[in-house]
Amino acid sequence: MKTLGAAILTYEGAAMREAHRLAASQYPHPLERVEASFRLVGDRLASDVIVRAGIRIAAEAASCFPERNIDPFRTWKAFVVGALEESVAEGEIRDGVRIEAAARVLVSAGMGTKDLLTFTNDWDSAGERLAEVASFVISGMRREANAHDSANSL
């Protein structure tokens, strides 16, 4: 059973890394890359039951694989923090946005969406839903956000 679980985790991890690579190759701007990564991961969740099995194992049975040091939240947060820091350097993020807090909100929203998809078994909409939540959170950080949005800083 452990061998099968490990193989599923390896497959799922490779699919997630490929989604990140694809987003990076298609979207030069870091905020677009984050949104694309959320959509691409959602598309994989929608189309691949093994990827869904991997995220379930990672979320519910990580302690069975201590050698892997599985922490999906930490992994996604590191990815998002890196992209947000790059966005700050490029002037895409408005002043006052707290990067660590914004990354926690974005990753939490993504993981909550994934959990809702699991609960409702609505995998067909995973790409759209995850892109939507990423876009919504990111819109509040963009430099071009309007004055009302600036009052609701993350």
Side-chain angles (χ1 to χ4, degrees), residues 34-52:
V34 170
E35 290 180 33
S37 291
F38 273 60
R39 175 177 297 283
L40 289 166
V41 164
D43 290 346
R44 280 161 176 71
L45 290 170
S47 65
D48 195 330
V49 69
I50 299 172
V51 171
R52 289 197 299 268

mmCIF file with all atom_site columns, all heavy atoms in Angstrom, residues 34-52:
data_model
loop_
_atom_site.group_PDB
_atom_site.id
_atom_site.type_symbol
_atom_site.label_atom_id
_atom_site.label_alt_id
_atom_site.label_comp_id
_atom_site.label_asym_id
_atom_site.label_entity_id
_atom_site.label_seq_id
_atom_site.pdbx_PDB_ins_code
_atom_site.Cartn_x
_atom_site.Cartn_y
_atom_site.Cartn_z
_atom_site.occupancy
_atom_site.B_iso_or_equiv
_atom_site.pdbx_formal_charge
_atom_site.auth_seq_id
_atom_site.auth_comp_id
_atom_site.auth_asym_id
_atom_site.auth_atom_id
_atom_site.pdbx_PDB_model_num
ATOM 1   N N   . VAL A 1 34 ? 1.087   33.198 -11.419 1.00 0.00 ? 34 VAL A N   1
ATOM 2   C CA  . VAL A 1 34 ? 0.372   32.606 -10.281 1.00 0.00 ? 34 VAL A CA  1
ATOM 3   C C   . VAL A 1 34 ? -1.042  32.216 -10.698 1.00 0.00 ? 34 VAL A C   1
ATOM 4   O O   . VAL A 1 34 ? -1.491  31.093 -10.445 1.00 0.00 ? 34 VAL A O   1
ATOM 5   C CB  . VAL A 1 34 ? 0.354   33.563 -9.070  1.00 0.00 ? 34 VAL A CB  1
ATOM 6   C CG1 . VAL A 1 34 ? -0.586  33.045 -7.986  1.00 0.00 ? 34 VAL A CG1 1
ATOM 7   C CG2 . VAL A 1 34 ? 1.757   33.759 -8.512  1.00 0.00 ? 34 VAL A CG2 1
ATOM 8   N N   . GLU A 1 35 ? -1.733  33.144 -11.354 1.00 0.00 ? 35 GLU A N   1
ATOM 9   C CA  . GLU A 1 35 ? -3.094  32.842 -11.806 1.00 0.00 ? 35 GLU A CA  1
ATOM 10  C C   . GLU A 1 35 ? -3.096  31.638 -12.755 1.00 0.00 ? 35 GLU A C   1
ATOM 11  O O   . GLU A 1 35 ? -3.938  30.750 -12.625 1.00 0.00 ? 35 GLU A O   1
ATOM 12  C CB  . GLU A 1 35 ? -3.707  34.055 -12.498 1.00 0.00 ? 35 GLU A CB  1
ATOM 13  C CG  . GLU A 1 35 ? -4.027  35.188 -11.546 1.00 0.00 ? 35 GLU A CG  1
ATOM 14  C CD  . GLU A 1 35 ? -4.630  36.402 -12.247 1.00 0.00 ? 35 GLU A CD  1
ATOM 15  O OE1 . GLU A 1 35 ? -5.357  36.225 -13.250 1.00 0.00 ? 35 GLU A OE1 1
ATOM 16  O OE2 . GLU A 1 35 ? -4.374  37.528 -11.787 1.00 0.00 ? 35 GLU A OE2 1
ATOM 17  N N   . ALA A 1 36 ? -2.148  31.616 -13.680 1.00 0.00 ? 36 ALA A N   1
ATOM 18  C CA  . ALA A 1 36 ? -2.067  30.502 -14.630 1.00 0.00 ? 36 ALA A CA  1
ATOM 19  C C   . ALA A 1 36 ? -1.752  29.197 -13.911 1.00 0.00 ? 36 ALA A C   1
ATOM 20  O O   . ALA A 1 36 ? -2.309  28.146 -14.258 1.00 0.00 ? 36 ALA A O   1
ATOM 21  C CB  . ALA A 1 36 ? -1.010  30.800 -15.694 1.00 0.00 ? 36 ALA A CB  1
ATOM 22  N N   . SER A 1 37 ? -0.879  29.243 -12.914 1.00 0.00 ? 37 SER A N   1
ATOM 23  C CA  . SER A 1 37 ? -0.551  28.032 -12.152 1.00 0.00 ? 37 SER A CA  1
ATOM 24  C C   . SER A 1 37 ? -1.782  27.484 -11.456 1.00 0.00 ? 37 SER A C   1
ATOM 25  O O   . SER A 1 37 ? -2.023  26.276 -11.464 1.00 0.00 ? 37 SER A O   1
ATOM 26  C CB  . SER A 1 37 ? 0.549   28.322 -11.135 1.00 0.00 ? 37 SER A CB  1
ATOM 27  O OG  . SER A 1 37 ? 1.765   28.577 -11.787 1.00 0.00 ? 37 SER A OG  1
ATOM 28  N N   . PHE A 1 38 ? -2.583  28.360 -10.845 1.00 0.00 ? 38 PHE A N   1
ATOM 29  C CA  . PHE A 1 38 ? -3.800  27.906 -10.192 1.00 0.00 ? 38 PHE A CA  1
ATOM 30  C C   . PHE A 1 38 ? -4.725  27.245 -11.217 1.00 0.00 ? 38 PHE A C   1
ATOM 31  O O   . PHE A 1 38 ? -5.279  26.178 -10.965 1.00 0.00 ? 38 PHE A O   1
ATOM 32  C CB  . PHE A 1 38 ? -4.503  29.077 -9.491  1.00 0.00 ? 38 PHE A CB  1
ATOM 33  C CG  . PHE A 1 38 ? -4.028  29.329 -8.094  1.00 0.00 ? 38 PHE A CG  1
ATOM 34  C CD1 . PHE A 1 38 ? -2.706  29.649 -7.816  1.00 0.00 ? 38 PHE A CD1 1
ATOM 35  C CD2 . PHE A 1 38 ? -4.913  29.266 -7.032  1.00 0.00 ? 38 PHE A CD2 1
ATOM 36  C CE1 . PHE A 1 38 ? -2.280  29.884 -6.523  1.00 0.00 ? 38 PHE A CE1 1
ATOM 37  C CE2 . PHE A 1 38 ? -4.495  29.498 -5.732  1.00 0.00 ? 38 PHE A CE2 1
ATOM 38  C CZ  . PHE A 1 38 ? -3.177  29.808 -5.475  1.00 0.00 ? 38 PHE A CZ  1
ATOM 39  N N   . ARG A 1 39 ? -4.882  27.881 -12.391 1.00 0.00 ? 39 ARG A N   1
ATOM 40  C CA  . ARG A 1 39 ? -5.763  27.315 -13.420 1.00 0.00 ? 39 ARG A CA  1
ATOM 41  C C   . ARG A 1 39 ? -5.220  25.967 -13.913 1.00 0.00 ? 39 ARG A C   1
ATOM 42  O O   . ARG A 1 39 ? -5.969  24.996 -14.028 1.00 0.00 ? 39 ARG A O   1
ATOM 43  C CB  . ARG A 1 39 ? -5.920  28.252 -14.613 1.00 0.00 ? 39 ARG A CB  1
ATOM 44  C CG  . ARG A 1 39 ? -6.738  27.608 -15.752 1.00 0.00 ? 39 ARG A CG  1
ATOM 45  C CD  . ARG A 1 39 ? -6.989  28.515 -16.916 1.00 0.00 ? 39 ARG A CD  1
ATOM 46  N NE  . ARG A 1 39 ? -7.781  29.681 -16.567 1.00 0.00 ? 39 ARG A NE  1
ATOM 47  C CZ  . ARG A 1 39 ? -9.095  29.688 -16.380 1.00 0.00 ? 39 ARG A CZ  1
ATOM 48  N NH1 . ARG A 1 39 ? -9.786  28.578 -16.486 1.00 0.00 ? 39 ARG A NH1 1
ATOM 49  N NH2 . ARG A 1 39 ? -9.729  30.799 -16.086 1.00 0.00 ? 39 ARG A NH2 1
ATOM 50  N N   . LEU A 1 40 ? -3.941  25.899 -14.204 1.00 0.00 ? 40 LEU A N   1
ATOM 51  C CA  . LEU A 1 40 ? -3.357  24.666 -14.736 1.00 0.00 ? 40 LEU A CA  1
ATOM 52  C C   . LEU A 1 40 ? -3.440  23.518 -13.729 1.00 0.00 ? 40 LEU A C   1
ATOM 53  O O   . LEU A 1 40 ? -3.715  22.373 -14.103 1.00 0.00 ? 40 LEU A O   1
ATOM 54  C CB  . LEU A 1 40 ? -1.913  24.906 -15.162 1.00 0.00 ? 40 LEU A CB  1
ATOM 55  C CG  . LEU A 1 40 ? -1.753  25.775 -16.415 1.00 0.00 ? 40 LEU A CG  1
ATOM 56  C CD1 . LEU A 1 40 ? -0.314  26.238 -16.574 1.00 0.00 ? 40 LEU A CD1 1
ATOM 57  C CD2 . LEU A 1 40 ? -2.234  25.020 -17.650 1.00 0.00 ? 40 LEU A CD2 1
ATOM 58  N N   . VAL A 1 41 ? -3.214  23.826 -12.460 1.00 0.00 ? 41 VAL A N   1
ATOM 59  C CA  . VAL A 1 41 ? -3.369  22.800 -11.428 1.00 0.00 ? 41 VAL A CA  1
ATOM 60  C C   . VAL A 1 41 ? -4.825  22.357 -11.369 1.00 0.00 ? 41 VAL A C   1
ATOM 61  O O   . VAL A 1 41 ? -5.122  21.159 -11.289 1.00 0.00 ? 41 VAL A O   1
ATOM 62  C CB  . VAL A 1 41 ? -2.857  23.308 -10.068 1.00 0.00 ? 41 VAL A CB  1
ATOM 63  C CG1 . VAL A 1 41 ? -3.346  22.429 -8.926  1.00 0.00 ? 41 VAL A CG1 1
ATOM 64  C CG2 . VAL A 1 41 ? -1.329  23.379 -10.083 1.00 0.00 ? 41 VAL A CG2 1
ATOM 65  N N   . GLY A 1 42 ? -5.741  23.306 -11.432 1.00 0.00 ? 42 GLY A N   1
ATOM 66  C CA  . GLY A 1 42 ? -7.158  22.954 -11.453 1.00 0.00 ? 42 GLY A CA  1
ATOM 67  C C   . GLY A 1 42 ? -7.526  22.092 -12.646 1.00 0.00 ? 42 GLY A C   1
ATOM 68  O O   . GLY A 1 42 ? -8.290  21.136 -12.522 1.00 0.00 ? 42 GLY A O   1
ATOM 69  N N   . ASP A 1 43 ? -6.956  22.421 -13.801 1.00 0.00 ? 43 ASP A N   1
ATOM 70  C CA  . ASP A 1 43 ? -7.218  21.615 -15.002 1.00 0.00 ? 43 ASP A CA  1
ATOM 71  C C   . ASP A 1 43 ? -6.729  20.181 -14.804 1.00 0.00 ? 43 ASP A C   1
ATOM 72  O O   . ASP A 1 43 ? -7.374  19.228 -15.236 1.00 0.00 ? 43 ASP A O   1
ATOM 73  C CB  . ASP A 1 43 ? -6.548  22.234 -16.224 1.00 0.00 ? 43 ASP A CB  1
ATOM 74  C CG  . ASP A 1 43 ? -7.213  23.531 -16.667 1.00 0.00 ? 43 ASP A CG  1
ATOM 75  O OD1 . ASP A 1 43 ? -8.337  23.833 -16.220 1.00 0.00 ? 43 ASP A OD1 1
ATOM 76  O OD2 . ASP A 1 43 ? -6.577  24.252 -17.470 1.00 0.00 ? 43 ASP A OD2 1
ATOM 77  N N   . ARG A 1 44 ? -5.585  20.028 -14.144 1.00 0.00 ? 44 ARG A N   1
ATOM 78  C CA  . ARG A 1 44 ? -5.077  18.676 -13.877 1.00 0.00 ? 44 ARG A CA  1
ATOM 79  C C   . ARG A 1 44 ? -5.972  17.949 -12.874 1.00 0.00 ? 44 ARG A C   1
ATOM 80  O O   . ARG A 1 44 ? -6.221  16.755 -13.012 1.00 0.00 ? 44 ARG A O   1
ATOM 81  C CB  . ARG A 1 44 ? -3.634  18.733 -13.401 1.00 0.00 ? 44 ARG A CB  1
ATOM 82  C CG  . ARG A 1 44 ? -2.684  18.902 -14.575 1.00 0.00 ? 44 ARG A CG  1
ATOM 83  C CD  . ARG A 1 44 ? -1.332  19.412 -14.193 1.00 0.00 ? 44 ARG A CD  1
ATOM 84  N NE  . ARG A 1 44 ? -0.421  19.476 -15.321 1.00 0.00 ? 44 ARG A NE  1
ATOM 85  C CZ  . ARG A 1 44 ? -0.491  20.347 -16.321 1.00 0.00 ? 44 ARG A CZ  1
ATOM 86  N NH1 . ARG A 1 44 ? -1.460  21.220 -16.363 1.00 0.00 ? 44 ARG A NH1 1
ATOM 87  N NH2 . ARG A 1 44 ? 0.405   20.352 -17.293 1.00 0.00 ? 44 ARG A NH2 1
ATOM 88  N N   . LEU A 1 45 ? -6.453  18.668 -11.883 1.00 0.00 ? 45 LEU A N   1
ATOM 89  C CA  . LEU A 1 45 ? -7.389  18.056 -10.931 1.00 0.00 ? 45 LEU A CA  1
ATOM 90  C C   . LEU A 1 45 ? -8.664  17.614 -11.639 1.00 0.00 ? 45 LEU A C   1
ATOM 91  O O   . LEU A 1 45 ? -9.231  16.563 -11.323 1.00 0.00 ? 45 LEU A O   1
ATOM 92  C CB  . LEU A 1 45 ? -7.726  19.040 -9.811  1.00 0.00 ? 45 LEU A CB  1
ATOM 93  C CG  . LEU A 1 45 ? -6.601  19.348 -8.831  1.00 0.00 ? 45 LEU A CG  1
ATOM 94  C CD1 . LEU A 1 45 ? -6.993  20.518 -7.923  1.00 0.00 ? 45 LEU A CD1 1
ATOM 95  C CD2 . LEU A 1 45 ? -6.262  18.124 -8.003  1.00 0.00 ? 45 LEU A CD2 1
ATOM 96  N N   . ALA A 1 46 ? -9.099  18.411 -12.595 1.00 0.00 ? 46 ALA A N   1
ATOM 97  C CA  . ALA A 1 46 ? -10.332 18.092 -13.321 1.00 0.00 ? 46 ALA A CA  1
ATOM 98  C C   . ALA A 1 46 ? -10.168 16.862 -14.201 1.00 0.00 ? 46 ALA A C   1
ATOM 99  O O   . ALA A 1 46 ? -11.096 16.078 -14.354 1.00 0.00 ? 46 ALA A O   1
ATOM 100 C CB  . ALA A 1 46 ? -10.763 19.290 -14.173 1.00 0.00 ? 46 ALA A CB  1
ATOM 101 N N   . SER A 1 47 ? -8.987  16.698 -14.775 1.00 0.00 ? 47 SER A N   1
ATOM 102 C CA  . SER A 1 47 ? -8.829  15.681 -15.805 1.00 0.00 ? 47 SER A CA  1
ATOM 103 C C   . SER A 1 47 ? -8.104  14.412 -15.362 1.00 0.00 ? 47 SER A C   1
ATOM 104 O O   . SER A 1 47 ? -8.080  13.441 -16.111 1.00 0.00 ? 47 SER A O   1
ATOM 105 C CB  . SER A 1 47 ? -8.082  16.275 -17.005 1.00 0.00 ? 47 SER A CB  1
ATOM 106 O OG  . SER A 1 47 ? -6.764  16.625 -16.629 1.00 0.00 ? 47 SER A OG  1
ATOM 107 N N   . ASP A 1 48 ? -7.519  14.420 -14.165 1.00 0.00 ? 48 ASP A N   1
ATOM 108 C CA  . ASP A 1 48 ? -6.648  13.302 -13.800 1.00 0.00 ? 48 ASP A CA  1
ATOM 109 C C   . ASP A 1 48 ? -6.940  12.814 -12.380 1.00 0.00 ? 48 ASP A C   1
ATOM 110 O O   . ASP A 1 48 ? -6.581  13.459 -11.393 1.00 0.00 ? 48 ASP A O   1
ATOM 111 C CB  . ASP A 1 48 ? -5.188  13.745 -13.923 1.00 0.00 ? 48 ASP A CB  1
ATOM 112 C CG  . ASP A 1 48 ? -4.216  12.595 -13.918 1.00 0.00 ? 48 ASP A CG  1
ATOM 113 O OD1 . ASP A 1 48 ? -4.508  11.555 -13.292 1.00 0.00 ? 48 ASP A OD1 1
ATOM 114 O OD2 . ASP A 1 48 ? -3.146  12.745 -14.534 1.00 0.00 ? 48 ASP A OD2 1
ATOM 115 N N   . VAL A 1 49 ? -7.559  11.663 -12.286 1.00 0.00 ? 49 VAL A N   1
ATOM 116 C CA  . VAL A 1 49 ? -7.939  11.104 -10.989 1.00 0.00 ? 49 VAL A CA  1
ATOM 117 C C   . VAL A 1 49 ? -6.707  10.765 -10.139 1.00 0.00 ? 49 VAL A C   1
ATOM 118 O O   . VAL A 1 49 ? -6.774  10.812 -8.907  1.00 0.00 ? 49 VAL A O   1
ATOM 119 C CB  . VAL A 1 49 ? -8.878  9.889  -11.165 1.00 0.00 ? 49 VAL A CB  1
ATOM 120 C CG1 . VAL A 1 49 ? -8.137  8.703  -11.764 1.00 0.00 ? 49 VAL A CG1 1
ATOM 121 C CG2 . VAL A 1 49 ? -9.542  9.519  -9.861  1.00 0.00 ? 49 VAL A CG2 1
ATOM 122 N N   . ILE A 1 50 ? -5.582  10.471 -10.766 1.00 0.00 ? 50 ILE A N   1
ATOM 123 C CA  . ILE A 1 50 ? -4.373  10.162 -9.997  1.00 0.00 ? 50 ILE A CA  1
ATOM 124 C C   . ILE A 1 50 ? -3.849  11.425 -9.317  1.00 0.00 ? 50 ILE A C   1
ATOM 125 O O   . ILE A 1 50 ? -3.390  11.379 -8.167  1.00 0.00 ? 50 ILE A O   1
ATOM 126 C CB  . ILE A 1 50 ? -3.295  9.492  -10.882 1.00 0.00 ? 50 ILE A CB  1
ATOM 127 C CG1 . ILE A 1 50 ? -3.831  8.170  -11.437 1.00 0.00 ? 50 ILE A CG1 1
ATOM 128 C CG2 . ILE A 1 50 ? -2.012  9.253  -10.090 1.00 0.00 ? 50 ILE A CG2 1
ATOM 129 C CD1 . ILE A 1 50 ? -2.935  7.523  -12.475 1.00 0.00 ? 50 ILE A CD1 1
ATOM 130 N N   . VAL A 1 51 ? -3.947  12.561 -9.986  1.00 0.00 ? 51 VAL A N   1
ATOM 131 C CA  . VAL A 1 51 ? -3.561  13.830 -9.363  1.00 0.00 ? 51 VAL A CA  1
ATOM 132 C C   . VAL A 1 51 ? -4.480  14.104 -8.161  1.00 0.00 ? 51 VAL A C   1
ATOM 133 O O   . VAL A 1 51 ? -4.007  14.497 -7.087  1.00 0.00 ? 51 VAL A O   1
ATOM 134 C CB  . VAL A 1 51 ? -3.588  14.993 -10.377 1.00 0.00 ? 51 VAL A CB  1
ATOM 135 C CG1 . VAL A 1 51 ? -3.409  16.338 -9.680  1.00 0.00 ? 51 VAL A CG1 1
ATOM 136 C CG2 . VAL A 1 51 ? -2.505  14.799 -11.438 1.00 0.00 ? 51 VAL A CG2 1
ATOM 137 N N   . ARG A 1 52 ? -5.767  13.872 -8.337  1.00 0.00 ? 52 ARG A N   1
ATOM 138 C CA  . ARG A 1 52 ? -6.704  14.059 -7.209  1.00 0.00 ? 52 ARG A CA  1
ATOM 139 C C   . ARG A 1 52 ? -6.354  13.128 -6.055  1.00 0.00 ? 52 ARG A C   1
ATOM 140 O O   . ARG A 1 52 ? -6.397  13.525 -4.890  1.00 0.00 ? 52 ARG A O   1
ATOM 141 C CB  . ARG A 1 52 ? -8.139  13.831 -7.670  1.00 0.00 ? 52 ARG A CB  1
ATOM 142 C CG  . ARG A 1 52 ? -8.642  14.930 -8.565  1.00 0.00 ? 52 ARG A CG  1
ATOM 143 C CD  . ARG A 1 52 ? -10.151 14.952 -8.695  1.00 0.00 ? 52 ARG A CD  1
ATOM 144 N NE  . ARG A 1 52 ? -10.750 13.761 -9.256  1.00 0.00 ? 52 ARG A NE  1
ATOM 145 C CZ  . ARG A 1 52 ? -11.011 13.583 -10.545 1.00 0.00 ? 52 ARG A CZ  1
ATOM 146 N NH1 . ARG A 1 52 ? -10.706 14.510 -11.428 1.00 0.00 ? 52 ARG A NH1 1
ATOM 147 N NH2 . ARG A 1 52 ? -11.589 12.486 -10.960 1.00 0.00 ? 52 ARG A NH2 1
#
